[in-house]
């Protein structure tokens, strides 16, 4: 758990972060979102003491971070940044092994861990372990960056616009990957982004920041339904909210389930249970269908979703 | 291994030529038919070569140590205030001609090896300092930020990331410095240091082209040898630390 209490950061006479209070529960993904210069990166960098805070207290698992050794503190926090910051003179495997090496893990344990992480992040160890960062694509490099941050199994993950420099398709893949990994590892994550869609997709709770203050700290759904101010309303896109709400909910919630899963005919097209309602609507509009079958992970048809229900209850 | 062949061959040629210069007397007789003595004999060439090398080596070692330490200091948070001053000194200092450095050193230190050694150190550390600064400043801020954010101490960041990444540029600075100093050390003969410049100066004073040639050839060979040595060193460095640029 990370707690920020009345935290302020000044640069000279300008106030970058203004008396913020924020509690991030263990295992949750808190996304700090706001336009550039709103203090979100500053907030993140204060949590691992890359920047000292001017006033207030920051507690990690109840302990004041100013009483801890900064290196020890950071070794227990994964850190992912936009430019990856991979060491260009180290191979992928050595980059991932950085923190375990600093912690003086035995060689075999490091090797096993690197292999495990590369597999987790969908990087073929045989093909990529001995490459150098310059030989990777942007998406692959950022995967290595995430693997490096997870290497020593830290309790906390700090991510500073990690996918900001990637193209839309790679970014989306990595976002999905992150959701998948987060399900497995459950890290307390602080994620900074300026992209509200990314925030809505990844967050369990979103903190909207503006001019150094937290305007609203709430679940994605509440941010959309009950924006605290005009600023938040504009940020989430006033008229786009219906579709954004739909993209938060999975098809599973609104489908009419069959009494028993059916084996579909081969070649049947439909949705997956975890697809969003927004996707369901899009498919219906495209196929001009009144209802679309829904399949589970095993490929069995578990229900249907109808256009009527989607329009009535979707948002 | 093929990398080290040119410097080794050049070094053998250099030593061989220094040792066997008297044997080439007929050749120099042909260059300078009007002189009785055509091979410089006041000191052996091997001794001059050794002394010349020693001067350059000591000044390069001290210069490297001081310049790299200074460059590291000026790029730390505590030394940041000095960075503009240090980099200006490094740049302006290089516009001084080496002869002027010698001329200024003599009144202070007198004649002999001491003033030339001081002049070589001071003059030689400038290119190294400039390259150390360029190398350390040229490292992507993201790399340093990530290194620190992952829990490396400032010393670990320096040793594991900054120096290996800046090393290639620093090495190039040392190469420039040593090459310049090989030439500058020869001028040291004018103020009484025993170097390969001796035959050149003596030849110029006495109008003996053969002397000039002997000194100049050896100085040139020495510079070539050192340069190819650095070439090999840089290539080795590339293979070890920056494989992305190695071919």
């Amino acid at each position: 758990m990370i707690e920020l209490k009345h935290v302020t950061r000044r640069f000279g006479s300008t106030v970058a972060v203004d008396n913020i209070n924020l509690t991030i529960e263990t295992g949750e993904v808190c996304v700090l979102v706001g336009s550039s210069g709103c203090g979100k990166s500053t907030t993140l960098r204060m949590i691992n003491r890359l920047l000292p805070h001017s006033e207030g207290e920051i507690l990690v698992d109840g302990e004041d971070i100013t009483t801890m050794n900064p290196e020890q503190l950071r070794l227990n926090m994964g850190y992912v940044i936009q430019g990856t910051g991979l060491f260009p003179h180290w191979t992928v495997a050595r980059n991932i092994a950085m923190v375990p090496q600093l912690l003086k893990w035995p060689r075999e344990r490091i090797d096993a861990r690197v292999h495990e992480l590369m597999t987790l992040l969908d990087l073929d160890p045989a093909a990529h372990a001995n490459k150098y960062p310059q030989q990777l694509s942007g998406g692959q490099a950022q995967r290595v960056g995430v693997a490096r941050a997870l290497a020593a199994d830290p309790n906390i993950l700090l991510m500073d616009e990690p996918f900001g420099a990637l193209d839309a398709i790679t970014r989306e893949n990595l976002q999905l990957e992150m959701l998948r990994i987060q399900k497995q590892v459950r890290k307390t994550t602080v994620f900074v982004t300026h992209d509200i869609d990314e925030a809505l997709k990844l967050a369990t709770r979103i903190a909207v920041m503006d001019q150094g203050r937290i305007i609203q700290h709430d679940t994605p759904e509440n941010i959309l339904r009950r924006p605290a101010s005009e600023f938040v309303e504009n940020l989430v896109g006033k008229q786009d909210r219906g579709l954004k709400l739909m993209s938060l909910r999975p098809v599973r919630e609104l489908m009419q389930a069959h009494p028993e899963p059916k084996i579909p005919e081969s070649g049947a097209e439909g949705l997956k249970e975890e697809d969003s309602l927004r996707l369901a609507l899009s498919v219906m509009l495209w196929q001009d269908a009144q209802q679309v079958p829904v399949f589970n992970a095993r490929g069995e048809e578990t229900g249907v979703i109808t256009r009527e229900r989607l329009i009535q209850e979707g948002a | 291994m093929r990398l080290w062949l040119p410097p080794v061959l050049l070094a053998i040629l250099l030593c061989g030529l220094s040792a066997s210069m008297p044997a080439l007397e007929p050749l120099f007789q042909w260059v300078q038919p009007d002189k009785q003595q055509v091979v410089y004999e006041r000191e052996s060439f091997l001794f001059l070569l050794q002394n010349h090398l020693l001067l350059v080596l000591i000044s390069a070692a001290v210069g490297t140590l001081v310049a790299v330490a200074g460059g590291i200091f000026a790029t730390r948070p505590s030394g940041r205030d000095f960075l503009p001053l240090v980099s200006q000194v490094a740049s302006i200092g290089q516009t001084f001609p080496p002869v002027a450095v010698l001329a200024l050193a003599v009144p202070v230190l007198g004649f002999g090896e001491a003033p030339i050694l001081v002049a070589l150190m001071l003059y030689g550390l400038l290119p190294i300092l400039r390259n150390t600064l360029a190398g350390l400043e040229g490292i992507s801020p993201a790399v340093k930020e990530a290194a620190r954010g992952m829990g490396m101490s400032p010393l670990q960041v320096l040793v594991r990331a900054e120096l290996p990444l800046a090393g290639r540029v620093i090495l190039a600075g040392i190469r420039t410095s040593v090459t310049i100093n090989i030439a500058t050390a020869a001028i040291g003969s004018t103020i009484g240091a025993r170097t390969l410049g001796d035959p050149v100066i003596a030849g110029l004073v006495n109008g003996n082209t053969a002397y000039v040639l002997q000194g100049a050839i050896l100085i040139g060979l020495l510079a070539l040898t050192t340069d190819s040595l650095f070439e090999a060193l840089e290539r080795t460095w590339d293979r070890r630390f920056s494989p992305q640029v190695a071919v």
Side-chain angles (χ1 to χ4, degrees):
Chain A
M1 186 164 78
I2 305 168
E3 295 160 277
L4 284 78
K5 295 180 179 169
H6 305 287
V7 172
T8 297
R9 167 71 198 183
R10 291 189 201 87
F11 290 105
S13 59
T14 51
V15 181
V17 172
D18 189 3
N19 192 22
I20 60 167
N21 288 291
L22 184 66
T23 302
I24 299 148
E25 301 290 344
T26 305
E28 88 167 333
V29 179
C30 176
V31 177
L32 303 176
V33 66
S35 41
S36 49
C38 72
K40 54 192 193 304
S41 284
T42 307
T43 306
L44 187 84
R45 289 157 54 88
M46 284 192 291
I47 296 174
N48 66 1
R49 288 186 65 187
L50 280 177
L51 286 174
H53 46 282
S54 313
E55 270 166 40
E57 280 190 297
I58 301 177
L59 308 176
V60 171
D61 295 327
E63 212 180 324
D64 189 335
I65 59 164
T66 49
T67 64
M68 297 185 219
N69 173 303
E71 275 90 42
Q72 286 303 321
L73 175 79
R74 291 177 199 142
L75 285 172
N76 200 20
M77 290 182 173
Y79 188 46
V80 187
I81 56 175
Q82 180 167 351
T84 74
L86 295 174
F87 283 12
H89 58 306
W90 284 7
T91 60
V92 165
R94 195 163 172 210
N95 266 294
I96 297 175
M98 176 171 165
V99 179
Q101 257 176 0
L102 291 173
L103 293 170
K104 303 206 165 55
W105 286 16
R107 182 70 198 256
E108 306 79 56
R109 190 172 163 208
I110 294 180
D111 290 347
R113 182 66 180 154
V114 168
H115 195 273
E116 181 188 345
L117 278 167
M118 291 190 71
T119 318
L120 177 72
L121 278 140
D122 213 13
L123 291 158
D124 178 14
H128 297 299
N130 292 318
K131 280 190 178 170
Y132 287 87
Q134 296 77 6
Q135 297 167 297
L136 302 176
S137 69
Q140 286 171 332
Q142 197 49 278
R143 279 166 203 266
V144 177
V146 175
R148 179 179 65 174
L150 291 171
D153 208 13
N155 295 323
I156 292 167
L157 202 53
L158 304 178
M159 307 180 89
D160 194 351
E161 303 214 23
F163 311 140
L166 304 173
D167 64 89
I169 296 168
T170 313
R171 183 163 60 226
E172 179 150 357
N173 280 337
L174 273 168
Q175 287 166 352
L176 292 174
E177 203 96 318
M178 209 192 124
L179 285 171
R180 177 177 66 82
I181 292 168
Q182 179 63 13
K183 262 188 209 150
Q184 287 182 34
V185 297
R186 287 259 163 240
K187 301 288 179 203
T188 309
T189 306
V190 188
F191 190 107
V192 164
T193 182
H194 60 261
D195 177 356
I196 186 69
D197 290 310
E198 187 168 72
L200 290 168
K201 187 181 259 170
L202 298 176
T204 51
R205 283 206 287 173
I206 294 175
V208 180
M209 292 188 72
D210 185 35
Q211 294 174 358
R213 293 199 180 85
I214 293 180
I215 308 290
Q216 190 173 10
H217 182 214
D218 216 327
T219 60
E221 181 163 349
N222 281 339
I223 295 266
L224 284 167
R225 285 194 197 280
R226 288 182 285 279
S229 69
E230 205 168 324
F231 177 82
V232 182
E233 208 169 343
N234 287 329
L235 185 75
V236 296
K238 233 175 189 171
Q239 299 184 311
D240 203 19
R241 266 185 280 175
L243 284 173
K244 280 184 175 152
L245 270 168
M246 288 180 95
S247 63
L248 291 181
R249 298 173 70 190
V251 166
R252 190 186 297 114
E253 286 185 17
L254 282 190
M255 73 177 188
Q256 287 158 343
H258 297 315
E260 262 175 39
K262 288 194 260 184
I263 309 296
E265 306 152 30
S266 62
E269 280 185 41
L271 295 156
K272 290 196 282 291
E273 284 182 346
E274 59 271 22
D275 283 339
S276 70
L277 293 178
R278 180 183 175 142
L279 188 74
L281 181 66
S282 169
V283 169
M284 278 176 201
L285 290 173
W286 180 250
Q287 296 181 346
D288 196 20
Q290 286 303 316
Q291 59 177 47
V292 178
V294 181
F295 303 111
N296 66 10
R298 286 194 298 276
E300 297 159 340
E301 186 181 322
T302 51
V304 292
I305 184 156
T306 63
R307 186 186 276 205
E308 201 182 357
R309 184 123 193 251
L310 197 62
I311 302 294
Q312 274 173 4
E313 297 176 41
Chain B
M1 216 52 241
R2 186 170 298 172
L3 223 53
W4 298 93
L5 201 61
V8 168
L9 284 182
L10 279 167
I12 292 171
L13 183 63
L14 176 64
C15 294
L17 208 57
S18 310
S20 60
M21 203 61 94
L24 295 175
E25 199 174 350
L27 182 68
F28 291 112
Q29 199 74 62
W30 171 74
V31 173
Q32 196 74 33
D34 56 327
K35 294 277 181 190
Q36 285 214 332
Q37 200 183 2
V38 287
V39 175
Y40 186 77
E41 273 171 349
R42 249 173 277 171
E43 299 277 5
S44 85
F45 284 102
L46 271 177
F47 169 80
L48 291 176
L49 173 67
Q50 184 197 332
N51 218 26
H52 196 121
L53 254 181
L54 205 63
L55 281 173
V56 174
L57 275 181
I58 293 173
S59 63
V62 175
T64 305
L65 229 61
V66 174
V68 172
I72 289 172
F73 168 73
T75 49
R76 296 310 97 182
S78 53
R80 277 267 156 205
D81 295 346
F82 295 95
L83 183 58
L85 178 74
V86 172
S87 60
Q88 266 180 354
V89 168
S91 306
I92 294 172
Q94 284 210 277
T95 61
F96 257 70
V99 185
V101 179
L102 284 185
L104 288 174
V106 171
V108 184
L109 295 158
F111 286 88
E113 255 88 27
I116 186 75
L117 205 53
V118 171
L120 289 182
M121 278 177 203
L122 286 179
Y123 197 67
L125 69 79
L126 296 174
I128 308 177
L129 181 60
R130 204 186 46 180
N131 278 35
T132 306
L133 290 177
L136 289 174
E137 290 288 280
I139 296 169
S140 139
V143 169
K144 286 187 274 186
E145 160 106 2
R148 234 157 54 85
M150 302 294 298
M152 281 193 169
S153 67
L155 185 67
Q156 284 169 329
V157 179
L158 177 69
V159 174
R160 299 195 190 185
E162 292 183 80
L163 286 182
L165 287 172
R168 170 65 202 260
V169 182
I170 298 176
L171 199 59
I174 300 175
R175 182 179 182 171
T176 311
S177 159
V178 168
T179 314
I180 293 178
N181 274 356
I182 286 175
T184 313
I187 307 175
S189 292
T190 54
I191 57 166
R194 299 267 77 95
T195 73
L196 286 174
D198 283 10
V200 180
I201 304 294
L204 288 174
V205 171
N206 303 328
N208 192 333
T209 315
Y211 284 5
V212 178
L213 267 178
Q214 287 152 22
I217 287 170
L218 290 181
I219 294 168
L221 257 180
L222 179 59
L224 277 177
T225 311
T226 324
D227 200 60
S228 69
L229 185 72
F230 273 101
E231 175 73 26
L233 266 177
E234 282 181 7
R235 295 263 183 106
T236 315
W237 184 282
D238 284 347
R239 283 193 195 165
R240 175 84 181 73
F241 288 116
S242 40
Q244 71 278 8
V245 288
V247 249

